[in-house]
Amino acid sequence: MIEEGYFAPQLTGGGGGKGRTLRTEQRLERLGIRLEEMAFWRERAHEDLDAWSFNGAALELGQSWPKLEGVSLLEHPRVVVPEEWPVEELRLELDLGGEGLVRLSYPSRDADLFGMDTQHRSWPIKAREFSLSVEAVARLPLGVPNRGARLNRARLVWAEVDLVSLARKLSLVMEAARSLGDHDVVDPLLACAERALGLLRWPSATTEYLSRTAGSFEMQQIWSLPDGLEAHPPALDDEHRDAIRFAAQELDADLAQLKARFPSQGAVALTGHAHLDLAWLWPLDETRRKARRTYHTAVGLMDRYPEFVFNQSTAQAYAWIAEDDPALFERMKEMAAAGQWEPTGAMWVEPDVNLPAGESLVRQLLYGQRFFKRHFGKTHTVCWLPDCFGFTGALPQLLAGAGVGNFFTHKMNWSETNKFPHDLFWWEGLDGTRVLAHQFWNPSGGYNGEPGPASTLATWGNYRGKRDFPQTLLAIGYGDGGGGATSEMIERVRALESFPVVPELHFTKVSEFYDSARSAVEEVDLPAWVGEMYLEYHRGTYTTQGRTKYLHRRAERDLVAAEVVGAMAVLSGGERLGSLEPLWQVLLRNEFHDILPGSSIREVYVTAESELEGVVDDAADILRQSMNRLSDELVDVGERDAVVVVNPDAAPRPLRIESTEGLPGGQEVDGGSILSGTQTVAGLSAHVVMEAAPRGALAVSERLLENSMIRVKLNSGGTLESVYDQIAQREVLDGRGNQLWAYVDKPRAFDAW
């Protein structure tokens, strides 16, 4: 039998000192092995929760889900914590086979709710008795179906909290040393970890040791594990725990001394975040569930970590929460008032900003700012668009008009050919309006960041604006499909306070970051980017999902026309119509940057087309009512047929009307009639047209169309033989026109991208 002993440091390496024989990489490898070993003692004790039901029917741990489609309810009856287990050191660990909303119900009728996914599987409890229910879907991150969903793990764990804390710091030492490369601090930093390991007293009795480590990779490679392994092997004893606490104290002291020699370089302002695509690889209904899970997780973290600040955009998601979970919405408002939850973004959704008309972008800002002002008491000063596919040069002017002077994105780092040159700069719009823009480049997860040395050192190192403003932003939290930050992330931020070289980390509101940046750059000649920010990526999206794009443009125009004609009818004495804001909100959510461009799954477009068709139909009904009211006010009944023509645009337009019905004085065509003339209809005006002045003679034959401006000849195959400009007296075509070409299009990544 092996005697119990110490974690001996062996020979330290690097630096060329006396007796040092190990290279840095070898020392890192050894530290990693020790950390893997320590992980098997993180549980002091555990009890499996094995009385589950699935939609009312019993389901044992390890069994597969009977049904994979839709939302299922998993429940576990009353759990009683063993008397000797302290509640503050307990964790509930669940891996039930999918994503879900976990509800812990206590005898006091109090309850805690948390989001469950592959990155959020461990939560604290706060009472000695509780029951469980989980609304779950058999899905993995990013909408991937889990076709093998089963109850993998459900366990109440009494954690070795001091060991967990020490292992976290040792893990951060290893990550920092790897990230710093040949920096002078690496050798003494590793020596700090090695000295701490040398102070540990560790179990090494054969049976107990093998029982604890039986699940390790190395043990699983053995031909046959020995008999007699224990399901619940002994935990650490008080002597081991005393050694752990002493080693942790010494490690803290050593790191503090090292930081005095190698102080932090730079500063990274952290904001908790959960990028939640309104739809992408999942439909809107799942997004509503994802939002509840994500926001409950964030609020729970705020309760336990008063320094944690979380930002979230998208008024549409907030509106859904207000409908689906009013109690959660009230908690979000409370946390916002306390300064921990930061609504941001100013818009109804995070829209594509290339395809929508300017009026739609104005409505994004109008309805977004109005919602946040109504429910949270203030409007926003930061436009938060981390993931949109490029940015129109008209946006700064529109932002400034909505009181938004700051802009954030991460996406311009994604350009494939030309690297975007700035990360703190003035973005100047087409009219000369400027907003302060910032983006960070975190190669380890982008806007779904993690606050370890690897990402913080890289983000600070990549920051080119540090001479003008000595801190950069970094968003932390799992995202794209929501999820957000974890307690481990925040614990790592706390642990890194004592580390040398690593940038200073602190949580902040995004708006406060921009306020500080503005103050710092008032007298600085910041670089400026003028006009469009064109993204050299995702460009194929703009040629996909043509029906959605058509319906979107139709809905945009029809809503504007319905509002204008309705207003004209009121000004003429007609009855006032109700607000069209609900219809606009449907349109605006379908401008989300993974819906309108065309990068989502089929189910998303089934919903989008149905919703947009509904907007078009409702706008047409409103427009018809307003036209009738306007006609009643403007036109006296007479004997001659006429057409009331309204131009809802601000600019004049030539007279051209297409209708499925016959038009007085119009020309019959397939599907209806056309009325066209030389008259011009002034902007925002209504006219009664009884006769349309013809535009001139028109000659028509089987293969010829000709008027005073143009002559078009067709050949027998349907292509254009000639297009002759009568005014310029020249042939327009060089060869045949109207040819049909087919190309092979096989994108590199994602069918629509």
Side-chain angles (χ1 to χ4, degrees):
M1 178 174 294
I2 302 173
E3 295 293 326
E4 284 198 329
Y6 290 93
F7 256 157
Q10 305 294 326
L11 295 175
T12 57
K18 181 179 179 181
R20 298 192 173 188
T21 61
L22 297 183
R23 302 189 312 275
T24 297
E25 189 56 40
Q26 292 173 314
R27 297 168 74 189
L28 286 166
E29 182 180 6
R30 184 179 60 188
L31 177 55
I33 291 172
R34 296 287 78 78
L35 284 167
E36 291 174 6
E37 183 180 30
M38 292 167 69
F40 290 101
W41 273 266
R42 291 188 176 196
E43 289 186 9
R44 188 165 183 168
H46 73 267
E47 282 193 1
D48 288 327
L49 308 183
D50 55 4
W52 289 92
S53 65
F54 184 95
N55 292 333
L59 189 68
E60 296 181 1
L61 280 177
Q63 285 189 316
S64 298
W65 288 22
K67 178 179 78 74
L68 299 179
E69 301 78 21
V71 181
S72 293
L73 179 64
L74 291 86
E75 295 177 289
H76 194 285
R78 177 171 170 260
V79 177
V80 179
V81 176
E83 188 63 33
E84 67 276 14
W85 291 17
V87 170
E88 63 274 10
E89 296 182 3
L90 302 186
R91 296 293 182 270
L92 173 66
E93 296 186 356
L94 298 178
D95 176 6
L96 302 183
E99 297 187 340
L101 182 64
V102 179
R103 183 183 186 91
L104 280 74
S105 300
Y106 300 105
S108 63
R109 297 186 181 276
D110 191 11
D112 287 331
L113 288 89
F114 306 99
M116 177 185 71
D117 54 48
T118 56
Q119 306 296 341
H120 298 81
R121 288 178 172 170
S122 177
W123 307 274
I125 64 170
K126 61 184 184 185
R128 306 199 71 83
E129 295 183 22
F130 62 91
S131 59
L132 281 164
S133 64
V134 184
E135 296 175 6
V137 293
R139 296 281 169 175
L140 301 173
L142 304 185
V144 176
N146 184 8
R147 296 183 173 89
R150 65 180 62 245
L151 301 190
N152 294 313
R153 180 183 177 94
R155 178 173 288 186
L156 184 62
V157 173
W158 182 5
E160 292 281 6
V161 291
D162 292 324
L163 175 61
V164 169
S165 177
L166 176 61
R168 179 184 299 115
K169 283 201 172 179
L170 292 173
S171 175
L172 289 170
V173 167
M174 184 169 68
E175 183 179 333
R178 288 193 183 281
S179 301
L180 288 166
D182 58 359
H183 194 287
D184 289 346
V185 78
V186 170
D187 178 54
L189 183 61
L190 286 175
C192 291
E194 290 160 346
R195 192 170 92 83
L197 288 173
L199 295 172
L200 295 179
R201 187 164 182 83
W202 206 250
S204 55
T206 301
T207 301
E208 290 83 351
Y209 188 94
L210 294 180
S211 297
R212 278 277 175 178
T213 60
S216 68
F217 176 80
E218 289 81 2
M219 292 290 288
Q220 291 297 311
Q221 307 309 302
I222 296 175
W223 182 279
S224 177
L225 290 174
D227 296 331
L229 297 184
E230 302 176 34
H232 293 270
L236 301 175
D237 61 26
D238 289 342
E239 185 179 4
H240 301 137
R241 296 188 186 102
D242 288 342
I244 288 170
R245 284 188 284 269
F246 180 67
Q249 293 170 6
E250 292 298 297
L251 178 59
D252 286 343
D254 289 347
L255 288 173
Q257 291 182 8
L258 198 56
K259 186 170 183 176
R261 292 172 52 199
F262 298 94
S264 296
Q265 297 180 3
V268 175
L270 303 175
T271 174
H273 184 53
H275 186 66
L276 179 56
D277 285 327
L278 209 65
W280 179 29
L281 303 177
W282 53 88
L284 291 175
D285 286 346
E286 183 61 22
T287 305
R288 297 180 81 140
R289 292 188 285 269
K290 284 177 175 288
R292 286 189 70 201
R293 300 194 290 260
T294 299
Y295 297 173
H296 271 295
T297 294
V299 168
L301 290 173
M302 292 173 197
D303 286 333
R304 303 196 299 279
Y305 298 96
E307 73 271 29
F308 178 59
V309 180
F310 176 83
N311 92 77
Q312 195 69 18
S313 68
T314 307
Q316 175 65 85
Y318 286 76
W320 281 337
I321 292 296
E323 293 177 14
D324 299 343
D325 197 335
L328 172 60
F329 190 63
E330 290 304 313
R331 289 285 287 133
M332 291 159 56
K333 290 164 67 174
E334 291 171 7
M335 290 301 184
Q340 286 187 267
W341 185 293
E342 183 185 18
T344 193
M347 291 183 162
W348 191 252
V349 301
E350 293 180 11
D352 177 84
V353 293
N354 291 319
L355 290 170
E359 183 63 30
S360 285
L361 297 179
V362 169
R363 300 302 176 109
Q364 289 281 356
L365 291 159
L366 172 65
Y367 297 136
Q369 292 280 53
R370 180 183 291 174
F371 179 91
F372 289 116
K373 175 69 173 177
R374 181 186 305 126
H375 294 286
F376 292 88
K378 61 176 66 174
T379 56
H380 299 163
T381 60
V382 180
C383 178
W384 180 271
L385 297 177
D387 194 31
C388 297
F389 306 167
F391 305 93
T392 171
L395 192 56
Q397 178 184 7
L398 301 180
L399 294 178
V404 180
N406 306 296
F407 175 78
F408 173 81
T409 188
H410 184 273
K411 201 68 173 187
M412 295 309 297
N413 293 303
W414 292 37
S415 284
E416 291 185 299
T417 305
N418 299 290
K419 186 172 180 63
F420 194 78
H422 311 306
D423 48 22
L424 182 65
F425 59 101
W426 294 111
W427 181 21
E428 183 175 315
L430 299 178
D431 71 328
T433 301
R434 287 186 167 192
V435 294
L436 182 62
H438 175 57
Q439 65 172 0
F440 58 80
W441 176 224
N442 168 27
S444 303
Y447 49 73
N448 300 322
E450 195 280 328
S455 59
T456 56
L457 284 164
T459 300
W460 175 253
N462 291 332
Y463 178 39
R464 285 160 287 181
K466 57 174 68 78
R467 294 181 182 274
D468 299 318
F469 180 55
Q471 61 176 305
T472 180
L473 201 62
L474 176 62
I476 65 167
Y478 295 100
D480 288 331
T486 64
S487 58
E488 179 62 21
M489 289 182 180
I490 305 173
E491 292 288 354
R492 284 164 70 86
V493 173
R494 288 181 171 182
L496 285 169
E497 290 179 6
S498 61
F499 270 59
V501 182
V502 175
E504 294 285 355
L505 306 178
H506 66 281
F507 283 101
T508 187
K509 288 184 177 181
V510 176
S511 57
E512 292 177 355
F513 171 86
Y514 276 94
D515 289 344
S516 298
R518 276 184 169 272
S519 298
V521 302
E522 283 182 352
E523 306 299 327
V524 173
D525 186 20
L526 272 187
W529 182 269
V530 180
E532 178 185 10
M533 287 195 282
Y534 178 76
L535 180 68
E536 298 167 346
Y537 204 58
H538 296 346
R539 288 167 285 196
T541 56
Y542 292 109
T543 61
T544 61
Q545 301 299 339
R547 285 191 301 273
T548 297
K549 289 176 170 62
Y550 165 77
L551 288 168
H552 165 261
R553 183 67 78 222
R554 177 76 181 273
E556 278 185 319
R557 292 192 60 82
D558 288 0
L559 282 177
V560 170
E563 287 185 334
V564 170
V565 177
M568 293 173 67
V570 171
L571 292 173
S572 300
E575 183 181 347
R576 183 185 180 94
L577 293 175
S579 171
L580 271 62
E581 183 173 348
L583 295 179
W584 273 106
Q585 289 176 1
V586 175
L587 173 71
L588 298 180
R589 74 163 163 257
N590 284 289
E591 291 177 348
F592 180 74
H593 64 259
D594 275 315
I595 298 179
L596 182 57
S599 52
S600 289
I601 57 174
R602 178 187 64 84
E603 290 84 351
V604 171
Y605 294 103
V606 171
T607 300
E609 290 173 20
S610 174
E611 289 191 340
L612 292 172
E613 284 174 349
V615 172
V616 170
D617 291 343
D618 290 346
D621 289 341
I622 295 168
L623 189 57
R624 189 177 301 109
Q625 295 173 35
S626 297
M627 287 289 291
N628 289 336
R629 291 191 181 97
L630 193 60
S631 298
D632 292 342
E633 296 295 331
L634 295 181
V635 182
D636 294 328
V637 178
E639 297 180 356
R640 298 179 61 186
D641 291 333
V643 179
V644 176
V645 179
V646 178
N647 178 9
D649 290 351
R653 293 171 62 182
L655 177 64
R656 178 179 172 84
I657 306 171
E658 299 179 15
S659 175
T660 57
E661 302 175 1
L663 294 171
Q667 178 180 339
E668 292 187 7
V669 296
D670 287 344
S673 62
I674 293 176
L675 179 64
S676 178
T678 58
Q679 298 100 314
T680 297
V681 183
L684 303 177
S685 68
H687 292 262
V688 178
V689 177
M690 290 184 286
E691 292 183 357
R695 290 186 175 275
L698 176 66
V700 180
S701 66
E702 184 177 348
R703 296 187 184 177
L704 177 70
L705 292 170
E706 183 175 7
N707 61 18
S708 60
M709 293 178 285
I710 195 168
R711 181 174 67 241
V712 178
K713 293 181 180 179
L714 290 79
N715 62 31
S716 59
T719 57
L720 298 178
E721 178 181 319
S722 170
V723 176
Y724 188 78
D725 187 331
Q726 306 268 45
I727 297 174
Q729 297 290 300
R730 70 180 186 88
E731 175 63 38
V732 174
L733 295 181
D734 180 14
R736 290 185 303 141
N738 196 35
Q739 299 182 56
L740 181 63
W741 288 72
Y743 296 89
V744 175
D745 181 14
K746 295 183 178 180
R748 291 171 297 151
F750 302 100
D751 290 345
W753 296 31

